[in-house]
Amino acid sequence: MTQSTNPIFIAGPCVIESAQLLDTVAAELVRLRQTLGVEIIFKASFDKANRTSLGSFRGPGMEQGLRMLADVKSKYGLRILTDIHETWQAGPTGEVVDVIQIPAFLCRQTDLLVAAAKTGRTVNIKKAQFLSGKDMYYPVQKVRESGGGEVWLTERGNMFGYNNLVVDFRNIPDMLEFTPRVIMDCTHSVQRPGAGNGVTGGNREFVPPMALAAKAFGANGYFFEVHPQADRALSDAANSLYLSDLEKVITSLL
């Protein structure tokens, strides 16, 4: 399949914490878009339904979260990506965002993929930690055969024993065989799942080389969780990139 040559960048906080945080990140993404001349999509989750602990912060919920994302879209002119976890969330989410994301653990959930397809929005499917790149042909076909439009795939590593992920970069060209857009999730791929006493650990120092390695294997999209105070983020603090470092990383990829 012909590859899309122009890279896209997806960035934002893991979860919606406050309107102020969304404004801070969105303003910086607009600056980078203008300065570097790149396409940047704003990402944040209204509900993190797969946190390690029951007591972990999940976000404001769908109704309030979608209002906040719609506000970002209106004020900053950024395209918006967010994830859904249940079929009933697809319709309302599709009315607000430009890209609906399917979480990795749910990428085989047929009803969820069909519901996302029916919104007519671009569907970004994250590759499960237990699947190969070639296995992702079937989730893509579920979306296409359900009337969906553009389908993207995202690489985010594979399970490697307990509390660890590794990236087999061969998955990127494998997935490019049947979808034109393969995104490297540069921050989730450096997670140490469940390795932080009730929270997920991670190694953000490996985010920049992870992105460069993915480029070498043909990735044409890059996903970064960013936060102005990454160590204090309410979700994925250990692997989130500092917002102030994003320009340097994007520049290295250009």
Side-chain angles (χ1 to χ4, degrees):
M1 181 170 286
T2 302
Q3 296 183 31
S4 301
T5 54
N6 295 326
I8 61 170
F9 298 90
I10 302 167
C14 178
V15 65
I16 298 172
E17 298 178 14
S18 67
Q20 180 181 4
L21 173 64
L22 300 190
D23 283 336
T24 298
V25 175
E28 175 64 2
L29 297 189
V30 170
R31 186 190 72 80
L32 293 177
R33 182 178 64 181
Q34 295 171 343
T35 302
L36 302 177
V38 294
E39 180 180 0
I40 300 185
I41 298 172
F42 182 93
K43 179 269 172 184
S45 297
F46 54 73
D47 179 22
K48 299 300 292 184
N50 56 350
R51 296 301 306 276
T52 302
S53 168
L54 185 62
S56 297
F57 180 75
R58 288 182 55 165
M62 187 183 74
E63 186 175 346
Q64 181 182 351
L66 288 178
R67 285 199 301 266
M68 296 170 79
L69 292 174
D71 187 53
V72 168
K73 186 174 186 177
S74 174
K75 289 167 62 176
Y76 297 97
L78 290 164
R79 291 207 288 162
I80 304 293
L81 177 149
T82 198
D83 42 5
I84 60 172
H85 294 83
E86 301 187 58
T87 55
W88 61 269
Q89 296 174 334
T93 301
E95 293 177 5
V96 173
V97 308
D98 302 277
V99 183
I100 292 178
Q101 182 165 279
I102 305 299
F105 283 133
L106 300 178
C107 73
R108 288 167 55 104
Q109 295 296 105
T110 300
D111 290 345
L112 190 63
L113 292 165
V114 171
K118 289 181 177 178
T119 67
R121 297 298 189 180
T122 297
V123 179
N124 181 38
I125 312 172
K126 300 187 78 171
K127 181 182 71 62
Q129 297 91 327
F130 47 84
L131 293 179
S132 72
K134 291 184 182 292
D135 291 331
M136 294 304 293
Y137 173 82
Y138 301 99
V140 169
Q141 289 306 108
K142 288 179 182 180
V143 174
R144 288 177 176 159
E145 292 174 13
S146 301
E150 191 168 3
V151 187
W152 301 345
L153 289 174
T154 294
E155 166 63 41
R156 54 98 70 243
N158 282 84
M159 290 184 235
F160 190 71
Y162 298 118
N163 308 126
N164 200 12
L165 296 172
V166 296
V167 176
D168 181 351
F169 290 98
R170 295 173 298 181
N171 285 323
I172 294 171
D174 282 349
M175 292 190 288
L176 283 168
E177 291 180 4
F178 47 85
T179 190
R181 179 73 69 184
V182 173
I183 296 156
M184 183 69 214
D185 185 339
C186 305
T187 45
H188 283 103
S189 294
V190 301
Q191 283 181 332
R192 301 283 184 173
N197 294 321
V199 297
T200 289
N203 298 94
R204 78 167 58 87
E205 67 270 23
F206 297 133
V207 170
M210 190 72 73
L212 288 169
K215 179 181 179 181
F217 278 84
N220 49 29
Y222 304 90
F223 182 110
F224 302 99
E225 289 189 316
V226 296
H227 195 287
Q229 297 177 295
D231 281 328
R232 298 183 181 181
L234 298 182
S235 179
D236 281 356
N239 56 273
S240 290
L241 192 68
Y242 276 90
L243 182 62
S244 58
D245 290 332
L246 182 59
E247 181 173 7
K248 180 170 59 178
V249 176
I250 291 178
T251 301
S252 76
L253 293 166
L254 299 175

